[in-house]
Amino acid sequence: MRCVFVQFRCHPGKTYEVADAIYEREVVSELYSTSGDFDLIAKVYVPDEADVGHFLNETLFDIPGIARTLTTMTFRAF
């Protein structure tokens, strides 16, 4: 499994709806609300055999209320 972090910017007033929808899909290991340019951040474990872009598009990015995302790939945990 590969760990990636995904930040979500939501349309105004939609953050809680987006967070509920993300949580219901059971594909994130952790989900937090954040301050700054993005509203939410999720820790996602992508199966080794899966393409990261396709996996995220098929499991998360079609949720209504998402305005923008930023995906950060990870390489090593310390």
Side-chain angles (χ1 to χ4, degrees):
M1 300 287 265
R2 289 174 286 172
C3 177
V4 299
F5 289 91
V6 182
Q7 295 181 74
F8 299 86
R9 183 178 300 155
C10 303
H11 293 293
K14 298 296 182 181
T15 300
Y16 286 96
E17 291 175 32
V18 171
D20 288 342
I22 291 170
Y23 185 76
E24 287 174 7
R25 295 195 178 190
E26 299 181 355
V27 295
V28 303
S29 81
E30 298 175 49
L31 179 64
Y32 298 94
S33 59
T34 59
S35 62
D37 290 336
F38 290 86
D39 303 300
L40 302 166
I41 188 168
K43 186 177 187 181
V44 182
Y45 287 97
V46 178
D48 289 330
E49 67 278 359
D51 177 273
V52 174
H54 285 158
F55 181 83
L56 294 174
N57 277 320
E58 293 169 0
T59 59
L60 293 172
F61 293 166
D62 64 336
I63 294 172
I66 296 173
R68 183 174 179 204
T69 63
L70 174 67
T71 302
T72 303
M73 305 290 289
T74 63
F75 302 108
R76 181 178 173 184
F78 293 95

